Amino acid sequence: MVRGKIVIRRIENMRSRQVTFSKRRRGLLKKARELAILCDVQVGVIIFSSTGRLYEYANSTATTTMDMQFA
């Protein structure tokens, strides 16, 4: 069974938008953590919500975000 493609556009319903943001944020942070563990790399993720709230992740080998080198 194949999933149908979704159209990427702004979700108009505020409640649906918040639920989608929450689920995708958790998924993104989980993938970042998995990538850091599996590949032994430094990963940093910064997310700002529409309300201005900050969500961040940096794996334990990255002591600060300033120490990370960007390609």
Side-chain angles (χ1 to χ4, degrees), residues 3-70:
R3 288 186 181 183
K5 288 189 177 185
I6 63 167
V7 177
I8 302 296
R9 64 172 186 260
R10 184 173 189 267
I11 299 171
E12 297 301 324
N13 182 307
M14 182 65 118
R15 180 170 285 160
S16 295
R17 186 179 329 133
Q18 182 59 38
V19 169
T20 300
F21 172 75
S22 179
K23 288 180 179 180
R24 289 191 175 235
R25 181 194 69 223
R26 264 182 293 185
L28 179 62
L29 296 176
K30 181 180 177 185
K31 290 291 185 185
R33 191 170 34 257
E34 290 172 353
L35 182 63
I37 293 168
L38 292 172
C39 300
D40 193 30
V41 295
Q42 292 182 351
V43 177
V45 178
I46 300 173
I47 304 170
F48 291 98
S49 71
S50 59
T51 60
R53 187 163 179 190
L54 170 68
Y55 300 92
E56 59 183 297
Y57 169 79
N59 63 321
S60 61
T61 60
T63 55
T64 65
T65 51
M66 289 302 186
D67 290 340
M68 298 181 79
Q69 295 179 358
F70 298 99

